[in-house]
Amino acid sequence: MSDSKTLVALLLGDVCGQPGSRALFLGLHSLVKDYRADMVVVNGENAANGFGLNASLMEQFFSLGVAVITSGNHIWQQEDIRLLLDSEKRLLRPANYPPQAPGHGSVVVDVRNHKVGVLNLQGRQSMPSIDCPFRIGLEQVNRLRKQTNLILVDFHAESSEEKEALGLYLDGKVSAVVGTHTHVQTSDEKLLPQKTAYITDLGLCGPSESVIGSDPKISIAKQLTQMPMRSEISDTAPLLQGVCVTLDTSTGQALSIERISRLYQI
């Protein structure tokens, strides 16, 4: 646990299938202990066999101590979770989907007597055409800042350019902007000029020997044949990837960001 002037958040990358869930079950408790973390945010949109999240997995993640589950373009693929998007405040879908879509894109949670905002956005480059993440993101941030200056942003996007641009656009307005979706951890973690923590992609909570989480044999066959094939999750030793961010509770600024990648042999 951090001291009274700081707050430590673990932000973990896309949970991919059963290996990703195993990684959380095997490693999250010790990860929280090692980093003295106060809260955990996980992107869960690929947890249900690689496509979406179901209600059972959601409850399991919360029981492990996850504070907020973020998501992305696959959140709509499991029917039982759609019924919970409105009622479960700790489960987010990207805020820049149309307002007619179920669910909500941000939440404020209580962590050690501090209010922490979590905002979920989705990119538009090589992704479904939805509302502008920059415009909606700033509107959401301005609304959240009426309650707290501690704000964590998960930007679920394909394009590194779009992610870097959003990070700089929100620099100084939020505590952290972290990318998800590509399942490949980047090594560009840093504090931006106005002390917002940033990384282009958190990486993967899932199988270590894979092609972005999928069985390499199927992924290679798809490239060789160009035939449509359903990806299957690779069943190999699980990884936990993400970052640890330390925040100044008085200013909302990030004090540090550390990249995390742990392999669990079972």
Side-chain angles (χ1 to χ4, degrees):
M1 184 180 293
S2 53
D3 60 41
S4 60
K5 296 181 180 179
T6 61
L7 186 143
V8 177
L10 293 178
L11 307 170
L12 300 181
D14 302 48
V15 178
C16 196
Q18 189 178 63
S21 297
R22 284 205 306 269
L24 289 179
F25 301 149
L26 289 168
L28 186 58
H29 177 75
S30 61
L31 200 67
V32 168
K33 182 179 179 181
D34 291 347
Y35 284 93
R36 298 169 62 87
D38 299 298
M39 68 177 299
V40 179
V41 178
V42 170
N43 188 297
E45 73 137 20
N46 295 123
N49 297 317
F51 298 96
L53 176 71
N54 60 40
S56 175
L57 286 169
M58 179 193 74
E59 291 298 341
Q60 290 178 45
F61 293 170
F62 286 143
S63 73
L64 289 170
V66 172
V68 178
I69 300 174
T70 56
S71 66
N73 54 300
H74 288 304
I75 191 59
W76 317 107
Q77 294 191 241
Q78 301 294 327
E79 187 172 350
D80 68 340
I81 207 69
R82 292 186 212 165
L83 303 175
L84 298 172
L85 285 168
D86 285 325
S87 60
E88 177 50 74
K89 300 304 181 184
R90 299 170 295 171
L91 173 64
L92 304 182
R93 52 87 165 159
N96 52 320
Y97 271 91
Q100 292 83 358
H104 45 277
S106 64
V107 67
V108 175
V109 293
D110 292 317
V111 181
R112 284 185 45 239
N113 297 318
H114 297 288
K115 292 188 180 298
V116 181
V118 181
L119 171 60
N120 196 179
L121 297 168
Q122 184 173 304
R124 296 189 295 181
Q125 294 187 22
S126 301
M127 296 284 281
S129 179
I130 55 177
D131 212 335
C132 176
F134 290 76
R135 181 176 61 81
I136 297 297
L138 185 58
E139 289 176 1
Q140 290 277 326
V141 167
N142 288 337
R143 183 180 60 80
L144 289 170
R145 285 182 67 87
K146 295 176 181 178
Q147 300 180 68
T148 180
N149 58 9
L150 298 167
I151 302 172
L152 308 171
V153 180
D154 175 345
F155 189 30
H156 197 76
E158 182 76 28
S159 165
S160 297
E161 176 191 5
E162 194 176 18
K163 290 176 178 178
E164 288 187 322
L166 185 78
L168 289 168
Y169 182 66
L170 296 180
D171 184 22
K173 301 178 180 68
V174 301
S175 305
V177 175
V178 299
T180 57
H181 179 65
T182 68
H183 299 187
V184 178
Q185 188 178 60
T186 56
S187 59
D188 60 341
E189 71 281 5
K190 58 191 169 187
L191 297 183
L192 297 174
Q194 301 302 315
K195 305 303 181 184
T196 290
Y198 174 84
I199 189 170
T200 297
D201 203 281
L202 293 173
L204 174 71
C205 295
S208 53
E209 297 178 29
S210 68
V211 175
I212 62 171
S214 298
D215 186 329
K217 292 180 181 179
I218 297 175
S219 295
I220 292 169
K222 287 169 66 177
Q223 299 303 318
L224 288 173
T225 65
Q226 292 300 295
M227 293 174 60
M229 299 179 185
R230 182 179 174 85
S231 296
E232 295 182 8
I233 300 300
S234 177
D235 189 14
T236 57
L239 280 169
L240 268 185
Q241 293 184 320
V243 295
C244 175
V245 180
T246 301
L247 309 176
D248 183 323
T249 56
S250 62
T251 65
Q253 295 179 337
L255 300 173
S256 67
I257 178 171
E258 180 179 347
R259 184 161 34 103
I260 299 167
S261 184
R262 289 192 179 184
L263 176 64
Y264 299 90
Q265 297 289 356
I266 56 174

